[in-house]
Amino acid sequence: MFGVWAPGEEVAKLAYYGLYALQHRGQESAGIAASDGERIAVYKDMGLVSQVFDETTLNTLTGHLAVGHCRYSTTGGSHWANAQPTLGATPHGTVALAHNGNLTNSAELYDNLIDKSGFPSRGEMAQGNTTDTALVTALLAEHPHGSLEDAAMQLLPQLVGSFCLAFMDEHTLYAARDPQGIRPLVLGRLDRGWVVASETAALDIVGASLVREIEPGEFVAIDEHGLRSQRFAETRRAACVFEYVYLARPDTTINGRSVYESRVEMGRRLAREHRVEADLVMPTPESGTPAAIGYAEESGIPFGNGLVKNAYVGRTFIQPSDTIRQLGIRLKLNPLKSVVAGKRLVVIDDSIVRGNTQRALIRMLREAGAAEIHVRISSPPIKWPCFYGIDFASRAELIANGLGVEEIRASLGADSLGYISEDGMVSATRQERAELCTACFSGTYPTRLPDADKLGKNVFEARTPVDSSPRREPGGPSVAQRPEHASAVSIDTRPSSDDGLSRRAAGRTRISDQDPGVQEGSTGCDPGPDSDLEDLLLPEDRVPAGPGTPSAAQPATQPETAKDA
């Protein structure tokens, strides 16, 4: 997400470029809201930032402040009604809100809202939005306080889980970060304004200088009077270690530590922990490259590129035909036969989720003539789901759940397999272990988790009244209809507005092995590791290789029940 307050600047275009820099964090939908002091207008649609916006559209989003978002769904399905920023009419004006993260007490907050006020009769929840973002927007609108700022200070302490919020009314830009600081959020300075963004790389793109991180438990407001800050909770830092491993851009800095340097150091430590005789160290593009550089430096084995990535094949809404699918992932990755033939390879990747894409890559490298393939992973085995903003597969789909390293190696078809230790990964980040969330590796969560029926991507669909939306898909959740010719939604904030909303064209917890909250059939981890190759895998890559190898979808042994922290 990206927020900007800059009178005299083209704020929508700044938001566009900021989102472009953050596209890796979400590829499902994109949106920008802008205010000219009297009206907030938002334009949002399904697709990438470059697909949603053009110059004509951006020129209609005028004003002195803007909030933008590119979505990756963790609560609520992937459809237009759930795109962000969300809009809500409050007693004192309008709020447009963007959210990075995932609340774990959404069901409790939802039930409290219904008990207090009934299901909303207007706003995005009434029109089928089933996200925790729309819930926060509705809760802000329900607060009978003197200002949006007062309402936020009352509401923020009630939110549990991971949340970085960038929101605004007609005049002021606001930002808040959860007390654990699970996801990154930074503050930047323009010549004529301020910027908040999910990563420092977005500041670089728009020419903003980094001022500092927005602290965990901090709420900031920016308007013509400058910047003011308040604390709404005590800090209990538990930053996501997976940001250093994979999620963040390598040119981002988190809590003073370069993500690129962290990944290179993970590769060095991986080489110390899992040495092997080989001829070439090669990465899985692009996420494995920094760690592969570190592994090559430490081991003395030459670094090289054994796979070529098609830079122009990104995420697409055109499904591959059976003929194209038979080409497998060669549409996006193709082996360099002259480089890998006859070589003993060390293949570096950042993580293994289900193992499907690694299995496909190993098959491709074998076909290209590789003599040996030694897989090295710059993170420990992923054994637990994430409830803080990464839609990892269910525990049953995680290949490391119930399988040992040797069994995983056999499933992938590699000659050897080595994971970095948790100590090695944490040390590479140069962060205090006590200030990192390692839940997906350790099963120890930094906040309390509710019962299984109150977690999951579709938690609101099960609670939404059947008649709460103008249209309901057969057998599915309530969804709002997309405007016929555009995705523009405007809110007239003048007193004459009737309902305020119109459409126009223009504490640490450990969980059990019951896998709470993960939906059956989950595709998992989009935009996490493996996600952009999943739609191009062959059937044989989706099941473990080799006769008698236990299925990754049905572990050979039942996982141990997690102990209380």
Side-chain angles (χ1 to χ4, degrees):
M1 64 185 192
F2 186 90
V4 54
W5 185 92
E9 299 283 358
E10 294 182 284
V11 291
K13 290 184 179 180
L14 288 172
Y16 171 83
Y17 286 112
L19 293 181
Y20 210 96
L22 298 170
Q23 186 72 87
H24 61 289
R25 300 191 73 90
Q27 295 86 32
E28 296 175 24
S29 63
I32 295 173
S35 172
D36 60 6
E38 293 186 355
R39 177 187 294 273
I40 291 179
V42 61
Y43 192 97
K44 54 188 177 181
D45 207 348
M46 303 301 291
L48 304 176
V49 174
S50 60
Q51 295 170 324
V52 172
F53 296 101
D54 56 28
E55 185 132 10
T56 301
T57 304
L58 292 171
N59 286 337
T60 67
L61 296 171
T62 59
H64 67 287
L65 74 161
V67 167
H69 188 267
C70 46
R71 185 170 189 247
Y72 151 50
S73 57
T74 53
T75 296
S78 182
H79 51 74
W80 184 84
N82 286 343
Q84 297 185 39
T86 57
L87 285 175
T90 76
H92 310 287
T94 308
V95 58
L97 187 144
H99 171 210
N100 177 35
N102 196 57
L103 301 182
T104 57
N105 69 331
S106 294
E108 177 185 345
L109 294 170
Y110 180 97
D111 292 342
N112 291 342
L113 175 66
I114 301 303
D115 290 343
K116 178 182 177 182
S117 308
F119 190 84
S121 59
R122 62 179 185 175
E124 296 207 11
M125 287 185 68
Q127 298 181 34
N129 191 315
T130 56
T131 66
D132 50 358
T133 311
L135 175 64
V136 172
T137 306
L139 290 168
L140 286 172
E142 287 291 323
H143 271 287
H145 293 284
S147 67
L148 182 59
E149 194 166 339
D150 292 338
M153 286 299 293
Q154 290 292 319
L155 176 62
L156 290 171
Q158 302 175 39
L159 307 182
V160 180
S162 168
F163 59 91
C164 287
L165 305 177
F167 58 105
M168 68 184 198
D169 56 21
E170 292 80 5
H171 307 286
T172 307
L173 175 66
Y174 305 97
R177 191 178 181 195
D178 66 79
Q180 288 74 35
I182 296 175
R183 299 279 155 236
L185 185 61
V186 293
L187 175 69
R189 193 75 165 96
L190 294 166
D191 288 342
R192 294 192 288 180
W194 298 85
V195 172
V196 294
S198 293
E199 294 186 25
T200 60
L203 304 184
D204 299 335
I205 295 299
V206 301
S209 58
L210 173 64
V211 176
R212 61 176 176 85
E213 287 199 351
I214 292 177
E215 292 296 319
E218 183 182 11
F219 171 67
V220 300
I222 301 168
D223 58 18
E224 68 271 18
H225 302 297
L227 181 145
R228 54 190 178 274
S229 170
Q230 301 181 67
R231 289 280 182 174
F232 64 87
E234 292 297 321
T235 298
R236 301 186 303 277
R237 186 179 288 272
C240 173
V241 72
F242 209 71
E243 293 278 356
Y244 295 93
V245 172
Y246 173 83
L247 265 185
R249 281 175 51 144
D251 53 341
T252 281
T253 298
I254 302 177
N255 201 28
R257 175 62 167 165
S258 161
V259 170
Y260 177 82
E261 289 298 330
S262 295
R263 292 174 186 170
V264 171
E265 181 61 22
M266 289 174 194
R268 296 190 188 106
R269 292 175 182 271
L270 185 58
R272 295 175 206 147
E273 294 179 9
H274 296 284
R275 287 191 176 273
V276 65
E277 293 293 326
D279 304 308
L280 185 74
V281 175
M282 56 167 284
T284 300
E286 301 286 340
S287 57
T289 300
I293 291 172
Y295 193 101
E297 288 178 356
E298 183 68 24
S299 66
I301 303 171
F303 172 90
N305 287 312
L307 292 164
V308 174
K309 185 174 183 178
N310 187 337
Y312 299 97
V313 179
R315 292 167 190 274
T316 174
F317 293 101
I318 301 173
Q319 293 300 314
S321 66
D322 290 341
T323 301
I324 295 296
R325 195 183 297 277
Q326 289 305 309
L327 300 175
I329 59 176
R330 284 182 174 83
L331 183 62
K332 293 186 177 181
L333 290 175
N334 201 34
L336 279 167
K337 294 182 181 180
S338 61
V339 173
V340 304
K343 300 285 180 60
R344 299 169 297 173
L345 306 177
V346 180
V347 180
I348 307 294
D349 209 345
D350 58 89
S351 57
I352 301 178
V353 182
R354 291 176 296 276
N356 295 343
T357 59
Q358 284 88 358
R359 192 174 297 116
L361 291 174
I362 289 170
R363 174 176 52 80
M364 284 172 49
L365 292 171
R366 296 276 190 208
E367 292 171 356
E372 297 176 9
I373 300 174
H374 304 277
V375 176
R376 296 294 181 265
I377 307 298
S378 59
S379 63
I382 297 173
K383 298 182 178 182
W384 302 87
C386 174
F387 300 103
Y388 303 117
I390 307 176
D391 191 19
F392 274 149
S394 67
R395 288 208 72 202
E397 294 175 295
L398 294 171
I399 192 172
N401 175 42
L403 294 183
V405 173
E406 178 59 25
E407 293 169 303
I408 297 172
R409 180 207 62 77
S411 171
L412 301 181
D415 291 287
S416 70
L417 171 64
Y419 292 89
I420 194 173
S421 65
E422 190 172 327
D423 285 342
M425 174 189 65
V426 169
S427 296
T429 69
R430 294 187 181 173
Q431 307 297 305
E432 295 293 331
R433 176 185 285 271
E435 295 185 349
L436 289 174
C437 174
T438 61
C440 55
F441 307 115
S442 65
T444 300
Y445 292 80
T447 69
R448 60 182 174 88
L449 296 178
D451 295 336
D453 64 341
K454 294 183 178 180
L455 284 169
K457 192 168 186 175
N458 300 319
V459 65
F460 290 157
E461 275 83 344
R463 287 170 157 75
T464 303
V466 173
D467 60 350
S468 64
S469 174
R471 179 171 65 89
R472 187 176 180 86
E473 295 286 357
S478 303
V479 294
Q481 293 189 24
R482 181 187 182 278
E484 183 178 357
H485 300 297
S487 306
V489 179
S490 298
I491 287 191
D492 189 340
T493 59
R494 290 169 293 187
S496 58
S497 176
D498 48 2
D499 69 351
L501 183 64
S502 62
R503 295 192 183 279
R504 306 191 315 157
R508 298 188 181 260
T509 306
R510 210 171 150 83
I511 66 170
S512 72
D513 58 355
Q514 297 177 358
D515 197 15
V518 180
Q519 304 301 311
E520 185 178 358
S522 166
T523 57
C525 70
D526 183 6
D530 309 345
S531 58
D532 62 342
L533 302 177
E534 281 289 320
D535 60 340
L536 297 170
L537 293 176
L538 297 175
E540 55 263 38
D541 299 321
R542 297 181 180 276
V543 294
T549 302
S551 168
Q554 296 179 343
T557 59
Q558 293 295 322
E560 295 181 3
T561 301
K563 301 178 179 66
D564 292 335

